[in-house]
Amino acid sequence: MSDLGSEEIEEEAENDLGEYEGERNEAGERHGQGKARLPNGDTYEGHYANGKRNGKGFYRFKNGARYIGEYIDNKKHGQGTFIYPDGSKYEGDWVEDQRHGSGVYYYINGDTYTGEWFNHNRHGQGTYFYALTGSKYVGTWANGQQEGAAELIHLNHRFQGKFVNKNPMGPGKYIFDIGCEQHGEYIHEEKVEEEEEEETLLPAIPKWKASKITGLTLWAPEEPPPLVEVTAADKIPSVMEPLTEDLSGAEGESLLEASAESTEATAETAEPTETTISPKDVEEEEESAKEEQKDSAMEEKEEETKEAEPRE
């Protein structure tokens, strides 16, 4: 929808119908901050310079459209937001009443276009989001149409290739989230509808022709870095390590004395302790010694008896 509307009609001269409240210059022209009602029913409130809208202002059209932004010589120029009667909205750059530069257009069906504009059309690099399907077209545009290298991103796959007059054309590939790719090309086939009197050419419909499919590329988590074994010696320095600092003077002597005391304390701690024996253990040892003596005496007596027997 055109956003020019009745704004194309210039404000009327002083002797024509219309109202104005605000500042003027010495020549009687509208100059500075002011508010005007145009003869066609539109209203403007903002800044003027030498009788023309210049600077920031708010223009309300009789049909319900609104523009809030910058003006130069009665034309939208600079940054501004235009709200259309159907509810769609454009936010971005303007040059002489045209969408020109970078901007975002919000459509009434929920779609959005974010990118470059030229002479009121999508032109250059831009992204179009389809609210119904959740897909996105990311690529180049020419005179409002999808044209050139682009990527069409869907929920679980995407297509990379070239577009001509908003249709895919030539070689490209589909990349699936499961890890494989399908390479091929789009071919446009023109269908001919035969009638009794003349033949009618129908619009060309792009047809995908696959050539190869790559294998699945399974995702694998990255291997964790190897663990470095840290010993107790790495954590706690030995008290026996030589001191590398200068130990001269009183401070050095005190440090040496502290080191010697620490070494002696360590040595004393390292000495083994005596083993204590309970009285029960002593009694068991004495009984064992008596049994051994008794057995030894019986063995000696048997030997003597054998020696005293007469020999044949």
Side-chain angles (χ1 to χ4, degrees), residues 170-208:
K173 64 179 179 180
Y174 281 92
I175 304 174
F176 298 90
D177 292 350
I178 59 176
C180 67
E181 299 179 0
Q182 186 183 72
H183 296 251
E185 62 177 336
Y186 269 102
I187 301 175
H188 286 204
E189 296 181 352
E190 295 183 353
K191 293 185 178 181
V192 178
E193 184 177 355
E194 297 182 357
E195 296 182 358
E196 295 180 358
E197 297 181 357
E198 59 182 7
E199 296 180 354
T200 304
L201 293 178
L202 297 177
I205 300 175
K207 183 178 180 181
W208 174 251

Side-chain angles (χ1 to χ4, degrees), residues 8-301:
E8 290 181 326
I9 304 174
E10 297 294 337
E11 295 184 19
E12 304 297 332
E14 288 298 318
N15 54 359
D16 292 331
L17 297 176
E19 297 178 0
Y20 173 75
E21 296 178 1
E23 301 173 350
R24 297 177 183 270
N25 58 13
E26 295 179 355
E29 298 173 325
R30 301 172 183 180
H31 193 88
Q33 195 71 20
K35 182 178 181 181
R37 182 186 63 81
L38 281 68
N40 58 9
D42 297 349
T43 61
Y44 171 79
E45 183 175 0
H47 199 268
Y48 283 87
N50 299 323
K52 294 183 178 180
R53 294 184 295 274
N54 276 278
K56 294 183 178 180
F58 174 39
Y59 195 104
R60 182 185 295 272
F61 295 86
K62 183 175 60 176
N63 60 6
R66 302 181 301 279
Y67 173 76
I68 306 99
E70 298 175 339
Y71 279 92
I72 292 181
D73 293 339
N74 279 343
K75 293 184 178 180
K76 296 182 287 293
H77 195 100
Q79 285 286 324
T81 299
F82 199 102
I83 303 173
Y84 297 86
D86 61 358
S88 57
K89 180 175 67 173
Y90 170 80
E91 296 178 350
D93 297 332
W94 296 82
V95 174
E96 296 186 353
D97 275 339
Q98 302 288 312
R99 295 186 294 266
H100 192 99
S102 299
V104 182
Y105 199 108
Y106 302 88
Y107 298 88
I108 56 174
N109 62 352
D111 295 357
T112 59
Y113 170 80
T114 306
E116 299 175 341
W117 296 78
F118 183 82
N119 290 339
H120 233 46
N121 291 319
R122 298 183 293 265
H123 191 92
Q125 193 72 19
T127 299
Y128 192 100
F129 172 73
Y130 299 89
L132 182 62
T133 61
S135 302
K136 287 193 299 184
Y137 172 91
V138 182
T140 56
W141 299 72
N143 299 321
Q145 301 293 340
Q146 299 168 353
E147 192 89 17
E151 185 175 31
L152 190 59
I153 304 173
H154 301 284
L155 296 179
N156 57 1
H157 68 283
R158 50 200 167 107
F159 170 77
Q160 293 179 349
K162 291 186 177 181
F163 285 74
V164 176
N165 193 20
K166 74 179 182 180
N167 288 318
M169 171 69 80
K173 64 179 179 180
Y174 281 92
I175 304 174
F176 298 90
D177 292 350
I178 59 176
C180 67
E181 299 179 0
Q182 186 183 72
H183 296 251
E185 62 177 336
Y186 269 102
I187 301 175
H188 286 204
E189 296 181 352
E190 295 183 353
K191 293 185 178 181
V192 178
E193 184 177 355
E194 297 182 357
E195 296 182 358
E196 295 180 358
E197 297 181 357
E198 59 182 7
E199 296 180 354
T200 304
L201 293 178
L202 297 177
I205 300 175
K207 183 178 180 181
W208 174 251
K209 183 179 180 181
S211 59
K212 67 175 182 178
I213 299 177
T214 63
L216 293 175
T217 304
L218 299 179
W219 176 84
E222 297 181 357
E223 295 183 358
L227 298 176
V228 178
E229 185 177 354
V230 179
T231 61
D234 296 333
K235 294 182 179 180
I236 304 175
S238 174
V239 296
M240 300 303 292
E241 292 180 357
L243 296 175
T244 59
E245 299 178 355
D246 185 9
L247 300 180
S248 61
E251 295 181 357
E253 293 178 359
S254 62
L255 288 174
L256 290 174
E257 291 176 359
S259 177
E261 292 176 359
S262 176
T263 305
E264 292 176 0
T266 304
E268 291 176 359
T269 305
E271 292 180 359
T273 58
E274 296 180 359
T275 305
T276 58
I277 302 176
S278 62
K280 185 177 180 181
D281 295 336
V282 174
E283 293 178 359
E284 291 179 355
E285 290 180 358
E286 291 177 355
E287 292 180 358
S288 177
K290 290 180 179 180
E291 290 180 357
E292 290 179 356
Q293 292 177 359
K294 185 177 181 180
D295 294 339
S296 176
M298 291 179 67
E299 289 178 356
E300 291 178 357
K301 188 175 182 178

